Amino acid sequence: MEDEDIALNSVLGLELNRVFFAVHETANKQKIIEYAREVLRSERSALADAASPEGPAS
């Protein structure tokens, strides 16, 4: 399953890169960057939650 996730992330990263360079307007590029950052934050949060089965430390 981990190999599939790595492959999917690679494909998604390449596609995001292709779209980014296809877009010419700076404002739209900024929206792409903000969206990608939000996706990364949510993925990191999900991974952190999965890594600590006891939940966050208090």
Side-chain angles (χ1 to χ4, degrees), residues 26-58:
T26 301
N28 288 337
K29 285 186 178 189
Q30 187 61 37
K31 289 178 185 177
I32 293 170
I33 292 168
E34 290 170 9
Y35 176 75
R37 285 180 177 156
E38 184 59 35
V39 169
L40 285 173
R41 279 188 208 109
S42 66
E43 288 291 320
R44 287 179 181 154
S45 177
L47 287 173
D49 290 344
S52 59
E54 299 159 3
S58 35

